[in-house]
Amino acid sequence: INMAPKKTKEVKKSTPAKKADPLFPARPRATGIGGAIRPIKDLSRFVRWPKYVRIQRQRAVLYQRLKVPPAVNQFTKTLGKNEAMTV
């Protein structure tokens, strides 16, 4: 019985690193004051998110604000002066 030849991974020869061109020397990006290029920063906060994402984030924030620790919550059901006199 003849078997199919094994598949071997072909190793690609890596190309040698390109040598720097002396006519165009590499310069670091000038992102400081007076530099024309703005520094890269995360702009995901300013993205217009889909409606369902905004709603679920707002809901999470509201639920966090609704949570009150039990030690504080016990004072929301106190008796008034009149009710305290009758007890």
Side-chain angles (χ1 to χ4, degrees):
I1 298 174
N2 289 337
M3 297 178 76
K6 283 188 175 181
K7 291 183 179 179
T8 56
K9 292 183 180 178
E10 293 181 23
V11 179
K12 292 184 178 180
K13 295 179 183 176
S14 60
T15 57
K18 293 182 178 179
K19 293 182 180 176
D21 191 355
L23 295 175
F24 302 102
R27 292 190 187 91
R29 293 175 62 150
T31 57
I33 296 173
I37 303 169
R38 303 226 9 166
I40 298 168
K41 66 179 185 179
D42 183 25
L43 298 175
S44 62
R45 184 167 173 256
F46 307 105
V47 170
R48 183 178 173 134
W49 292 95
K51 195 170 187 178
Y52 78 96
V53 173
R54 279 183 282 156
I55 288 173
Q56 69 190 14
R57 287 182 181 172
Q58 288 169 353
R59 187 181 340 125
V61 169
L62 287 174
Y63 281 138
Q64 282 292 327
R65 290 181 186 171
L66 283 173
K67 288 182 181 174
V68 178
V72 175
N73 196 45
Q74 68 182 349
F75 297 110
T76 59
K77 298 180 177 112
T78 56
L79 292 174
K81 261 189 183 177
N82 295 335
E83 296 147 336
M85 295 290 276
T86 59
V87 173

